[in-house]
CSV table of all heavy atoms in Angstrom, one decimal:
chain,number,residue,atom,x,y,z
A,179,SER,N,11.1,7.8,-18.1
A,179,SER,CA,11.9,8.4,-17.0
A,179,SER,C,11.1,8.8,-15.8
A,179,SER,O,9.8,8.9,-16.0
A,179,SER,CB,12.7,9.6,-17.6
A,179,SER,OG,13.5,9.3,-18.7
A,180,ALA,N,11.7,9.0,-14.7
A,180,ALA,CA,11.0,9.3,-13.5
A,180,ALA,C,11.2,10.8,-13.1
A,180,ALA,O,12.4,11.3,-13.2
A,180,ALA,CB,11.4,8.4,-12.3
A,181,PHE,N,10.2,11.5,-12.7
A,181,PHE,CA,10.3,12.9,-12.3
A,181,PHE,C,9.6,13.2,-11.0
A,181,PHE,O,8.6,12.5,-10.6
A,181,PHE,CB,9.6,13.8,-13.4
A,181,PHE,CG,10.3,13.7,-14.7
A,181,PHE,CD1,9.9,12.8,-15.7
A,181,PHE,CD2,11.3,14.7,-15.0
A,181,PHE,CE1,10.5,12.7,-16.9
A,181,PHE,CE2,11.9,14.6,-16.3
A,181,PHE,CZ,11.5,13.6,-17.2
A,182,VAL,N,10.1,14.2,-10.3
A,182,VAL,CA,9.4,14.6,-9.0
A,182,VAL,C,8.6,15.9,-9.4
A,182,VAL,O,9.3,16.9,-9.7
A,182,VAL,CB,10.4,14.8,-7.9
A,182,VAL,CG1,9.6,15.3,-6.6
A,182,VAL,CG2,11.2,13.5,-7.6
A,183,VAL,N,7.3,15.9,-9.2
A,183,VAL,CA,6.5,17.0,-9.4
A,183,VAL,C,5.9,17.5,-8.0
A,183,VAL,O,5.6,16.6,-7.2
A,183,VAL,CB,5.3,16.7,-10.4
A,183,VAL,CG1,4.4,17.9,-10.6
A,183,VAL,CG2,5.9,16.2,-11.7
A,184,GLU,N,5.9,18.8,-7.8
A,184,GLU,CA,5.3,19.3,-6.6
A,184,GLU,C,3.9,19.8,-6.8
A,184,GLU,O,3.6,20.3,-7.9
A,184,GLU,CB,6.2,20.3,-6.0
A,184,GLU,CG,7.6,19.8,-5.6
A,184,GLU,CD,8.5,20.8,-4.9
A,184,GLU,OE1,8.2,22.0,-5.0
A,184,GLU,OE2,9.5,20.4,-4.3
A,185,ARG,N,3.1,19.8,-5.8
A,185,ARG,CA,1.7,20.2,-5.9
A,185,ARG,C,1.5,21.6,-6.4
A,185,ARG,O,0.5,21.9,-7.1
A,185,ARG,CB,1.0,20.0,-4.5
A,185,ARG,CG,-0.5,20.3,-4.6
A,185,ARG,CD,-1.2,20.0,-3.3
A,185,ARG,NE,-0.6,20.7,-2.2
A,185,ARG,CZ,-0.8,20.4,-0.9
A,185,ARG,NH1,-1.6,19.4,-0.5
A,185,ARG,NH2,-0.3,21.1,0.1
A,186,ASP,N,2.4,22.5,-6.1
A,186,ASP,CA,2.2,23.9,-6.5
A,186,ASP,C,2.9,24.2,-7.8
A,186,ASP,O,3.0,25.4,-8.2
A,186,ASP,CB,2.7,24.9,-5.4
A,186,ASP,CG,4.1,24.6,-5.0
A,186,ASP,OD1,4.7,23.7,-5.5
A,186,ASP,OD2,4.6,25.3,-4.1
A,187,ASP,N,3.4,23.2,-8.6
A,187,ASP,CA,3.9,23.4,-9.9
A,187,ASP,C,2.8,23.9,-10.8
A,187,ASP,O,1.8,23.2,-11.0
A,187,ASP,CB,4.6,22.2,-10.4
A,187,ASP,CG,5.9,21.9,-9.8
A,187,ASP,OD1,6.6,22.8,-9.4
A,187,ASP,OD2,6.3,20.7,-9.7
A,188,PRO,N,3.0,25.0,-11.6
A,188,PRO,CA,2.0,25.5,-12.5
A,188,PRO,C,1.7,24.4,-13.6
A,188,PRO,O,2.6,23.7,-14.1
A,188,PRO,CB,2.6,26.7,-13.1
A,188,PRO,CG,3.6,27.2,-12.1
A,188,PRO,CD,4.2,25.9,-11.5
A,189,GLY,N,0.4,24.2,-13.9
A,189,GLY,CA,0.0,23.2,-14.9
A,189,GLY,C,-0.4,21.9,-14.3
A,189,GLY,O,-1.0,21.1,-15.0
A,190,LEU,N,-0.2,21.7,-12.9
A,190,LEU,CA,-0.7,20.5,-12.3
A,190,LEU,C,-2.1,20.7,-11.7
A,190,LEU,O,-2.3,21.7,-11.0
A,190,LEU,CB,0.3,20.1,-11.1
A,190,LEU,CG,0.0,18.8,-10.4
A,190,LEU,CD1,0.3,17.6,-11.3
A,190,LEU,CD2,0.8,18.7,-9.1
A,191,SER,N,-3.0,19.8,-12.0
A,191,SER,CA,-4.3,19.9,-11.4
A,191,SER,C,-4.8,18.5,-11.2
A,191,SER,O,-4.1,17.5,-11.5
A,191,SER,CB,-5.3,20.6,-12.4
A,191,SER,OG,-5.4,20.0,-13.6
A,192,PHE,N,-6.0,18.4,-10.6
A,192,PHE,CA,-6.5,17.1,-10.2
A,192,PHE,C,-8.0,16.9,-10.6
A,192,PHE,O,-8.8,17.9,-10.6
A,192,PHE,CB,-6.4,17.0,-8.6
A,192,PHE,CG,-5.0,17.3,-8.1
A,192,PHE,CD1,-4.7,18.5,-7.6
A,192,PHE,CD2,-4.0,16.3,-8.2
A,192,PHE,CE1,-3.4,18.8,-7.2
A,192,PHE,CE2,-2.8,16.6,-7.8
A,192,PHE,CZ,-2.4,17.8,-7.3
A,193,GLY,N,-8.4,15.7,-10.9
A,193,GLY,CA,-9.8,15.4,-11.1
A,193,GLY,C,-10.5,15.3,-9.8
A,193,GLY,O,-10.0,15.4,-8.8
A,194,PRO,N,-11.9,15.1,-9.9
A,194,PRO,CA,-12.7,15.0,-8.7
A,194,PRO,C,-12.3,13.7,-7.9
A,194,PRO,O,-11.8,12.7,-8.5
A,194,PRO,CB,-14.1,14.9,-9.3
A,194,PRO,CG,-14.0,14.4,-10.7
A,194,PRO,CD,-12.7,14.9,-11.2
A,195,ASN,N,-12.6,13.7,-6.7
A,195,ASN,CA,-12.3,12.5,-5.8
A,195,ASN,C,-13.2,11.4,-6.3
A,195,ASN,O,-14.4,11.5,-6.4
A,195,ASN,CB,-12.6,12.8,-4.4
A,195,ASN,CG,-12.0,11.8,-3.4
A,195,ASN,OD1,-11.3,10.9,-3.8
A,195,ASN,ND2,-12.3,11.9,-2.1
A,196,GLU,N,-12.6,10.3,-6.7
A,196,GLU,CA,-13.4,9.1,-7.2
A,196,GLU,C,-14.3,8.6,-6.1
A,196,GLU,O,-14.0,8.5,-4.9
A,196,GLU,CB,-12.4,8.0,-7.7
A,196,GLU,CG,-11.4,8.4,-8.7
A,196,GLU,CD,-12.0,8.7,-10.1
A,196,GLU,OE1,-13.2,8.6,-10.3
A,196,GLU,OE2,-11.2,8.9,-11.0
A,197,GLN,N,-15.5,8.1,-6.6
A,197,GLN,CA,-16.5,7.5,-5.7
A,197,GLN,C,-16.1,6.0,-5.7
A,197,GLN,O,-16.3,5.3,-6.8
A,197,GLN,CB,-17.9,7.7,-6.2
A,197,GLN,CG,-18.3,9.2,-6.2
A,197,GLN,CD,-18.2,9.9,-4.9
A,197,GLN,OE1,-18.8,9.4,-3.9
A,197,GLN,NE2,-17.4,10.9,-4.8
Side-chain angles (χ1 to χ4, degrees):
S179 300
F181 295 87
V182 180
V183 179
E184 296 184 345
R185 186 173 54 194
D186 52 1
D187 285 330
L190 184 69
S191 62
F192 308 97
N195 196 6
E196 303 286 5
Q197 301 299 303

